[in-house]
Amino acid sequence: MLFLKSVKTYKKFFAGIILLFLCSVAFSQHLRAGVYGLEQVPIGKSSDFFRNSTGVGLSAELGFSDKFGEAVRFQYANIIPNDDRIQSSWQFAALLGVWYNAAFGESGFSFQPSIEFGIIFEGTKNKEDYGTLDQRAYTDFLFQLCPSFRYKNEAFLNNHIEIEFTPAWSIIPQKVTSLCFIGVRLGIIYVSGF
């Protein structure tokens, strides 16, 4: 993991995500707010150290039209280690993204791919026999590609509840090699018009 001793840049970036999202509210036509569960597995060299990550998240999506908008998401995950030296590990991410929604006629199904970029805070605790790691969190950038599938129906609060099934590919760039995760999100989203 790439640890940067000064996290001022990340704090500014985190504040920028929130500010940009809040400024965009004035131009939006609708808001979607949701909760989801997340399951990811590492691929590549990180699979030597970690089995999978399981977590939860909150999302908010602003629609500038029925087809296009931006999203902000916050997610926390516990990582199950695959290495005897690691006792526990966790991740917290804040992401800002853009999405495009393509509805499949009047079926209630839609395809909503998104590209998301943000920061991730990570921490790991070694078992006592193997020494200790720095207690400060590691901070890195995070990219995600998410081809989301959505479904809503008049029976779900008159089309105000949407079900989300989203495969997700995440990459955390590193100096030597990048960390990659593939996984899925499953969530419930409330759709509100302004």
Side-chain angles (χ1 to χ4, degrees):
M1 296 178 195
L2 175 64
F3 178 72
L4 299 181
K5 292 185 178 178
S6 171
V7 294
K8 287 183 181 178
T9 302
Y10 292 103
K11 287 181 180 178
K12 289 178 184 176
F13 185 79
F14 183 76
I17 287 174
I18 301 299
L19 183 63
L20 181 60
F21 185 78
L22 292 176
C23 290
S24 300
V25 170
F27 302 102
S28 64
Q29 295 178 2
H30 66 271
L31 169 70
R32 293 185 184 119
V35 296
Y36 58 89
L38 172 70
E39 183 74 27
Q40 291 186 308
V41 294
I43 54 176
K45 290 191 174 187
S46 51
S47 63
D48 295 339
F49 302 101
F50 305 110
R51 258 188 215 133
N52 69 331
S53 67
T54 303
V56 294
L58 299 172
S59 64
E61 299 173 353
L62 293 175
F64 303 125
S65 71
D66 288 339
K67 296 194 177 290
F68 175 75
E70 74 175 16
V72 65
R73 123 178 15 263
F74 301 97
Q75 59 192 36
Y76 175 84
N78 280 319
I79 302 174
I80 297 171
N82 197 26
D83 188 308
D84 291 339
R85 296 170 293 181
I86 300 171
Q87 181 175 330
S88 63
S89 190
W90 59 270
Q91 294 177 332
F92 173 79
L95 297 146
L96 181 68
V98 293
W99 53 265
Y100 177 81
N101 188 288
F104 297 128
E106 301 295 321
S107 67
F109 288 97
S110 63
F111 177 62
Q112 184 172 303
S114 67
I115 299 172
E116 300 167 355
F117 173 73
I119 52 175
I120 187 166
F121 303 96
E122 305 167 290
T124 299
K125 183 177 180 182
N126 274 0
K127 291 185 178 174
E128 290 182 15
D129 297 344
Y130 296 101
T132 59
L133 291 172
D134 196 319
Q135 294 300 308
R136 295 174 290 180
Y138 290 83
T139 308
D140 290 308
F141 288 109
L142 171 67
F143 298 92
Q144 279 192 160
L145 297 175
C146 304
S148 183
F149 298 91
R150 309 290 179 94
Y151 178 71
K152 61 183 176 179
N153 190 299
E154 286 191 15
F156 303 156
L157 287 181
N158 199 24
N159 280 328
H160 285 288
I161 297 293
E162 194 170 59
I163 306 298
E164 168 194 18
F165 174 78
T166 305
W169 179 66
S170 305
I171 183 167
I172 303 169
Q174 303 286 296
K175 284 182 179 178
V176 178
T177 183
S178 296
L179 302 177
C180 295
F181 292 83
I182 57 170
V184 66
R185 292 194 311 249
L186 184 60
I188 298 173
I189 300 167
Y190 180 77
V191 181
S192 171
F194 290 128

